[in-house]
Structures are given as structure tokens and as C-alpha cells.
Amino acid sequence: MSIRVGVIGTGSIAHMFHLKHYKDHPDVELAAVADIDKDRADKTAAQYGTASYASAEEMLNAERLDAVSVCTFNDSHVALSLLALERGLDVLVEKPMAMNRDEAARLRDKAAGSDRLVMVGMSHRYRSDAQALQGMVASGGLGSIYYAKTKILRQRGVPEGWFTDSRYSGGGPMMDIGVHVLDLAWWMMGCPQPESVTGKLFRKIAPYATKGIAAYMAHSDINKSEGVYDVEDLGTAFITFTNGAVLTVEASWAVNGSQDDAVKVELYGTRGGGSLEPLSVFTEVNGFPVEHKLSVPSVDYYKAEIAHFIDCVKTRRQPLSDAAQGCEVVGMLEAIRLSSESGELIRL
């Protein structure tokens, strides 16, 4: 039996990572799309051979679906996911799960109190190199991880559109791309309980007039002409956990430093260490310090993410990136902002 899927929001993330992988999945019938921009929804529907609707509610009223992807602005993630849960559907919601912890907790609790699934689109967890390194930690091969560093730094990479308007995004690079490195490092550390957060959000460079830079353009026209920019261009954080471990996080859209927008993670354990990218492990052999450069087969991790979601829908097992963990990540992101605004350490 095919899983009938609808996609809410037909912007960049839907086209790049959701629609095509649902369309290619042998157990999925991509049934419908919905977007507040009906013209865009119609064009997407024509491209993928689906029904088209002007709102999620209209789609859910008209279609018999099993699951949905929520690919809209950050401010609508929770409301649309709750609507889908109320209709008895499983949900894959894009990152970040919510704008703040209270919203995230509502969705987490609703999912926990139902027989439906909520999976958060933390796509980098589905990379083969990330899973290999996380497996080493989980097996105890690196001992206890007591310190980790993670970053994703763009020299000039501010997206244009709704991303820079906090009403829709909830924040700048820390919410947009920092969420990936924060989640990935935290997951590799074994998801320890957060204890305190010290964060600082800077806006020192953007918006800029740098030549030769092609900006990433959101599909939606919202905030393109207004040009509202009320979020950071660089975020940093120092997070402690109840097990004594520490994590530092850096994320930027604009910084006067080298371009390095690869996802970087460094783990330091009592028996060894590890890093992404490149995938490396640091240990001792016969009393000598040794660095191992590892190679694992690469996968299309967005395809793997969609495949995992569909497998969870079919088997009813909990997803690798579930609502409870998504809520913890949003809580840390919110604490970074609150610490920056107050100039104080935030206890969780």
C-alpha cells in the first residue's frame, strides 16, 4: 500500500529536498501540495502531477493523506504540524521545529499524547560519515565526550527574503544553519541534558554591498522589497550539560574570515577524539598518538532522511530525530538569543 503524502509549502526546501524524493520513493504517492501562493502551488503541482491547494486546511479537508511535510516559514511550523496531527497524520517538519521552546513543547506534547509521528528535518544526522562517527561514540570507542566544538561559517552568504525578518524566521544564521551544527554535535555527544547557555549574537557586517556575491533568494516574495534585516549575521554560544560536558557553537552568514560553510564538528573524548569534515579519528596505538583519516560511502542524506520518515510511517517506530529532541534543540537556540539580549548566562 502506498503512503499518500502532501507537502505544505512549495518553496526552496520543498523543491530541493522533499518533493523529488517523495516522487521517486517506490512506496509513496505524492498526492497534493499546498501553498498560500496559489500560483506557485499550481506550478509545482503541474511539475509533479499532484493536486494543488491554496492552504493546508483546504488540502487536508479535500485529500485522504497519511503524512505531510511542513516546509513553510519557521513561524508556521508548529501551527501546521498541530493541524496535521489533529487530522491523524504523521508529520515531517522542517528545521527549526519551532520559534521558541514553549511552541516546541506544545508540539512535542501533542505528538507524545497521540499515536502519530513527528519527525524534525535534521538532515545531517542522515549523512553516512556522521552516522559512522556517532556510532563510534555510542559504542564507547572514544570514551566519554567531555568537550565538543562545532561551526558553519559563511564569509558572505546572507539569504534574501523572509530569512532576515525575525517575524517569520525567529533569528538569523543561528536559527537557519546553526541549528544543523548544534543538533549534529549534540546528537554525537549522546544528547546530554543542557544545563546552561551563554550566547552572543552579532550584526556587524550585513546587510552588505560586497561585489561578486550571488545571494541565495527565497522563493517567496515576502520581505524582498521591504528588505527588513533585524537578525544577527554571526552567532556564538557556550553550552554546558549536566554530565559536565561542554559544547561551543559558531554560525555565520557574514564574517570577515575564510569561507568555510562545511559542517564542522570536533569531539574530544577520554579514549579518543573524532571530527567532521574531514572524517577523522584520533587515538593511541602502542603508546603513540595516531590520526586515522576515514572514508565511508557517501549517500544523498536528504533522500535517506525521506526514506527514514517513510519507513517510520510504515513500521510505526520513532524517528531518529523526534519531537522531544527537536524541542531540546529549540530550547538551546532560544537560550542563546536570551543570553545575548540580557548579557547573562541562561540556566535551563
Side-chain angles (χ1 to χ4, degrees):
M1 182 183 73
S2 291
I3 306 298
R4 285 177 56 84
V5 174
V7 174
I8 305 171
T10 57
S12 301
I13 198 74
H15 281 276
M16 293 167 65
F17 307 127
H18 291 253
L19 292 161
K20 65 180 181 180
H21 292 314
Y22 281 134
K23 190 68 175 178
D24 292 341
H25 196 293
D27 297 331
V28 170
E29 179 186 350
L30 182 57
V33 297
D35 198 297
I36 55 176
D37 184 337
K38 185 58 163 60
D39 181 60
R40 188 170 66 181
D42 289 342
K43 290 177 180 177
T44 301
Q47 179 180 352
Y48 287 94
T50 72
S52 172
Y53 298 93
S55 72
E57 189 165 17
E58 182 182 345
M59 181 180 77
L60 298 184
N61 287 337
E63 296 285 342
R64 180 189 58 78
L65 300 174
D66 300 300
V68 296
S69 273
V70 176
C71 304
T72 57
F73 305 147
N74 298 345
D75 70 317
S76 58
H77 283 178
V78 170
L80 292 170
S81 297
L82 289 172
L83 177 64
L85 285 177
E86 290 165 1
R87 302 300 180 90
L89 306 182
D90 296 313
V91 178
L92 170 54
V93 57
E94 264 300 330
K95 57 77 188 172
M97 173 184 174
M99 298 269 276
N100 56 61
R101 185 177 176 84
D102 287 346
E103 278 191 347
R106 285 177 57 210
L107 181 51
R108 176 202 63 195
D109 294 346
K110 182 71 173 181
S114 75
D115 61 354
R116 298 295 91 190
L117 303 172
V118 172
M119 174 171 150
V120 184
M122 302 312 310
S123 52
H124 288 270
R125 291 194 185 194
Y126 300 90
R127 294 167 44 163
S128 52
D129 55 354
Q131 294 194 352
L133 185 54
Q134 188 271 344
M136 293 180 200
V137 176
S139 69
L142 303 184
S144 174
I145 303 300
Y146 56 89
Y147 180 43
K149 300 191 293 183
T150 190
K151 65 180 181 179
I152 181 167
L153 298 176
R154 294 179 184 169
Q155 185 183 56
R156 295 290 188 274
V158 175
E160 293 189 9
W162 64 270
F163 292 93
T164 63
D165 189 331
S166 62
R167 293 174 298 175
Y168 302 102
S169 65
M174 192 59 79
M175 290 287 279
D176 179 37
I177 54 178
V179 61
H180 279 303
V181 294
L182 169 57
D183 175 79
L184 191 61
W186 178 64
W187 173 63
M188 287 183 173
M189 296 172 76
C191 299
Q193 182 64 41
E195 181 178 55
S196 69
V197 175
T198 301
K200 185 66 176 179
L201 304 178
F202 299 94
R203 183 181 147 199
K204 298 293 186 179
I205 298 171
Y208 45 75
T210 308
K211 297 178 181 179
I213 299 297
Y216 167 75
M217 300 290 290
H219 276 203
S220 169
D221 290 332
I222 288 179
N223 196 43
K224 283 184 179 176
S225 60
E226 298 89 342
V228 174
Y229 197 118
D230 61 358
V231 297
E232 79 276 8
D233 55 25
L234 168 70
T236 65
F238 183 86
I239 304 171
T240 68
F241 301 93
T242 56
N243 67 353
V246 170
L247 170 64
T248 65
V249 185
E250 300 175 359
S252 76
W253 282 338
V255 68
N256 286 324
S258 61
Q259 172 76 9
D260 188 9
D261 64 353
V263 169
K264 301 287 189 180
V265 178
E266 297 178 32
L267 305 174
Y268 301 89
T270 53
R271 295 181 57 193
S275 70
L276 292 179
E277 301 173 356
L279 178 59
S280 303
V281 173
F282 306 88
T283 58
E284 286 189 2
V285 175
N286 198 29
F288 294 96
V290 175
E291 177 179 352
H292 304 272
K293 299 287 188 182
L294 304 180
S295 177
V296 297
S298 62
V299 299
D300 183 334
Y301 51 92
Y302 289 101
K303 181 178 180 179
E305 177 187 55
I306 294 296
H308 178 72
F309 176 58
I310 295 302
D311 182 64
C312 291
V313 171
K314 292 169 60 179
T315 63
R316 309 315 300 164
R317 64 189 177 107
Q318 282 297 310
L320 179 63
S321 45
D322 63 17
Q325 292 183 3
C327 183
E328 289 294 336
V329 171
V330 170
M332 287 185 274
L333 289 169
E334 182 180 42
I336 293 170
R337 176 181 59 79
L338 292 174
S339 176
S340 184
E341 291 173 352
S342 66
E344 298 177 354
L345 177 144
I346 303 298
R347 296 201 174 274
L348 299 174

